[in-house]
Amino acid sequence: MKRFTAPFAAAACAIGLVATAGSAGAATNDPLPPDLWGLDRAEAEQAWATTRGEGAVVAVVDTGVDLTHPDLAGRLVPGADFVCGEGVTGSCGDGSWKGRDGVGQDPDVHGTHVSGTIAAVADNGIGVAGVAPDAKIMPIKVLEDGSGTTEDIAEGVRYAADNGADVVNLSLGGLPGTQLLTILGADTTMKDAIQYARDKGTLTVAAAGNSSTLLCNDPAFSSDSICVGATDRDEMKSYFSELPIKLSGKGVAAPGGSGRLLGGPCSDDIISTVPQGTGTDECGEGKDYAAFAGTSMATPHVAGVAALLFAQGRDPDGVEQAILTTSRQPLLGLRGSFSPLYGRGIVDAEAAVATPVS
C-alpha cells in the first residue's frame, strides 16, 4: 500500500525572475479576475464564445470540497467519500472536505481550491471564475489531512468513471522513485484504476509533482493520463515543478504559480476558492479564497480545458489530442512539439476548442 499526498507546494515560494508582464487578467464581473492570470495564460476566456463546459463533469479526486461555497453554487453533482476506515467498503459520505468526523483539517482545503480553478461560477459578482465555468464538479474525498492510500484513491477514480465523470483531476502524487513500484508490477492499483476509467470513456489528468525532478511522479508517469507541470506568470517553468516527461509523451504545462521563493506578491500564485472562512486574506481576497502554488494548481487548468472540449461532444481520444496538439511552446510559439521544460507545451484553450470535432 502506497500513501499519496496532494502536491500542495503551498507554503512554498517562488523564483522572482522578471519578464514581461502580459495581460492584466480575466474580464468577468467577478472582483478577483484581475489576478487570475492563469485564465489568461491558458487562453480560457477566449474559448468561452465557443464552449463554457456545459454538460461536462470533472471529478475532483482529492481532499473533498466545501459543498456550500457560494462560488461553486450550482456547479456540484453528488459526490462520495472513500476515507472510511478499515473494513469499510464503498462510499461513506458526500465528498465534503470535512469528512466523516465533520472536522476540516488545514491541508484539506486543497480540493476546494482545485475545484474553483476548474469551474467556479463566472459573472456572479463574487470571487473568481473557473476555466470551464459552466462545467460540473463531482467531489470525491480520498485524502484526509492531505494524504491517503492508493486503494482509496483508486476507488475514487473508479467511482468517478462509473458515475458519469468525463474527466478525473488528480492533483496528488507519490514521492519521486515510486514509479518503479508500478513499472515493476509491485503496485499497479492506481494504474489499473485509471485504465478502467479510460476504458469507460473518462480522461485523467494528473499532477507532475513538486520536487523538481526530471520525470512525472506517479500516478502521472505510469498511467494512461496527461501529466501536468507548472509554469509561473511569465510562462517560465515553476522552480518546484517536475518536468512533464513520461514515456508516452503525454505531458503538458499549465499555470501553477511561482511559489514566491524569493518573495513577490501572493497574486503571483493561483487564487481560487477555499472552504469558507479558511482563507488568510493575504491578497485582499477575503476569507473564502486563497493563493496557492503547485502542480496541483496547474492540473485543474488542464482539467478545465478538457471539460470545455468534452462539452463540444468529443470523445476522450479527441479531447486528449486537441490538448496535446495545440499546446504552445513559449517564445517560439510552436504547437504540439516537445521540450523538456514544457512537455508538449502550455495548454491553450482557445486553440484546442477551435480544432475540428470528429
Side-chain angles (χ1 to χ4, degrees), residues 35-205:
D35 290 324
L36 298 187
W37 57 269
L39 293 186
D40 293 333
R41 301 302 180 267
E43 305 291 344
E45 270 196 293
Q46 291 85 340
W48 291 351
T50 303
T51 167
R52 293 168 61 96
E54 185 174 3
V57 177
V58 181
V60 176
V61 179
D62 207 287
T63 63
V65 175
D66 179 356
L67 304 181
T68 63
H69 199 293
D71 228 351
L72 297 174
R75 296 297 180 265
L76 300 175
V77 299
D81 185 342
F82 294 99
V83 186
C84 303
E86 294 292 332
V88 179
T89 59
S91 174
C92 58
D94 55 7
S96 168
W97 75 289
K98 292 185 176 181
R100 281 202 307 167
D101 62 6
V103 179
Q105 308 296 324
D106 286 345
D108 294 342
V109 305
H110 188 267
T112 304
H113 196 280
V114 168
S115 298
T117 297
I118 297 169
V121 181
D123 294 312
N124 63 346
I126 61 170
V128 297
V131 172
D134 289 351
K136 301 289 189 182
I137 297 293
M138 181 184 294
I140 301 179
K141 184 173 177 64
V142 296
L143 305 177
E144 177 73 16
D145 203 14
S147 69
T149 67
T150 51
E151 288 79 4
D152 289 346
I153 298 167
E155 198 167 3
V157 171
R158 290 175 183 270
Y159 176 93
D162 288 341
N163 287 275
D166 299 296
V167 186
V168 167
N169 186 104
L170 292 177
S171 287
L172 50 79
L175 295 172
T178 55
Q179 304 97 320
L180 284 174
L181 295 175
T182 305
I183 293 169
L184 296 174
D187 187 347
T188 62
T189 306
M190 284 291 302
K191 178 182 178 181
D192 294 344
I194 291 169
Q195 189 60 58
Y196 174 87
R198 184 59 179 259
D199 291 344
K200 296 203 74 169
T202 303
L203 178 68
T204 299
V205 294

Side-chain angles (χ1 to χ4, degrees), residues 267-324:
S267 57
D268 280 350
D269 291 335
I270 303 300
I271 296 177
S272 186
T273 48
V274 291
Q276 297 166 83
T278 65
T280 64
D281 200 25
E282 180 187 6
C283 295
E285 74 277 24
K287 295 287 189 176
D288 300 343
Y289 303 87
F292 295 148
T295 55
S296 281
M297 285 64 253
T299 303
H301 284 87
V302 180
V305 174
L308 295 175
L309 292 161
F310 271 108
Q312 292 181 292
R314 302 173 193 258
D315 63 19
D317 290 342
V319 170
E320 183 177 77
Q321 283 305 302
I323 290 171
L324 296 176

